[in-house]
Amino acid sequence: MIKNQEIVDDLNELVKINNDRIQGYEKAVEDNEDPQLDDLFRHYVIQSQNFRSQLADHIVRIDGTGVTDATSTDLTSKIHRAWIDIKAAITGKDRSAILGSVEFGENAAIEAYKDAIEKDHIPAYIKEDLQKQLTELQSAYDRIKSLQPA
């Protein structure tokens, strides 16, 4: 029998992905000198804050304990943030490099969501919300990709 803790663990992993996404976009705002990108990146920070809130609501509804530290991330997310830092340092805040780093992070978030949605023990009503979030993540990925020079 599937225990609620398995669902909570999976949702907490997505909370961590969103924490990383927030931190990654905040770092991208710092490293970027294009006001249009700053606005877009800030929009995605708010988007992830909303995703995180929805996930936390699900966790509470199934009597779970959510990630309490908004800076809690997973190992792959830490690697992604380090990659953004390195790219920014090497490229001198190059727009294309920043977009490439953000694109990489969005792809990782999309994969994490796809993995969670495929799990049999995640209830359908939660999968529905995860699918909506995934659709928005895919739109963000497509938007970032479209900003890259051909």
Side-chain angles (χ1 to χ4, degrees):
M1 178 173 177
I2 298 300
K3 301 212 188 296
N4 283 352
Q5 190 58 46
E6 291 178 77
I7 300 166
V8 169
D9 290 346
D10 289 331
L11 295 179
N12 273 327
E13 285 305 310
L14 295 179
V15 168
K16 291 175 186 178
I17 292 286
N18 279 287
N19 287 344
D20 180 67
R21 191 170 181 252
I22 290 165
Q23 292 173 13
Y25 275 116
E26 287 172 344
K27 180 66 177 160
V29 167
E30 289 174 25
D31 291 342
N32 173 51
E33 296 174 352
D34 181 334
Q36 288 179 320
L37 285 182
D38 285 352
D39 289 344
L40 182 63
F41 294 164
R42 285 187 181 99
H43 169 78
Y44 292 143
V45 166
I46 292 167
Q47 182 184 63
S48 260
Q49 289 168 336
N50 291 334
F51 290 172
R52 187 176 62 191
S53 178
Q54 290 172 353
L55 293 165
D57 288 347
H58 283 302
I59 291 167
V60 169
R61 275 191 224 118
I62 56 175
D63 296 326
T65 302
V67 172
T68 57
D69 180 1
T71 61
S72 179
T73 62
D74 65 14
L75 179 60
T76 57
S77 298
K78 290 177 184 173
I79 293 168
H80 171 242
R81 265 196 317 285
W83 194 69
I84 286 178
D85 292 343
I86 291 166
K87 279 283 219 174
I90 292 172
T91 60
K93 301 184 178 187
D94 177 67
R95 174 188 166 104
S96 181
I98 291 169
L99 287 170
S101 296
V102 169
E103 184 181 329
F104 178 84
E106 288 293 3
N107 189 54
I110 287 168
E111 292 306 313
Y113 269 78
K114 285 180 179 177
D115 289 346
I117 290 168
E118 289 176 8
K119 294 188 176 182
D120 292 335
H121 62 267
I122 302 288
Y125 73 96
I126 294 177
K127 283 186 181 186
E128 185 177 318
D129 282 348
L130 297 182
Q131 186 60 55
K132 288 176 188 173
Q133 290 182 8
L134 174 60
T135 299
E136 289 186 51
L137 288 170
Q138 288 170 323
S139 292
Y141 175 84
D142 292 344
R143 175 77 173 118
I144 295 298
K145 196 164 178 70
S146 76
L147 295 171
Q148 283 281 36

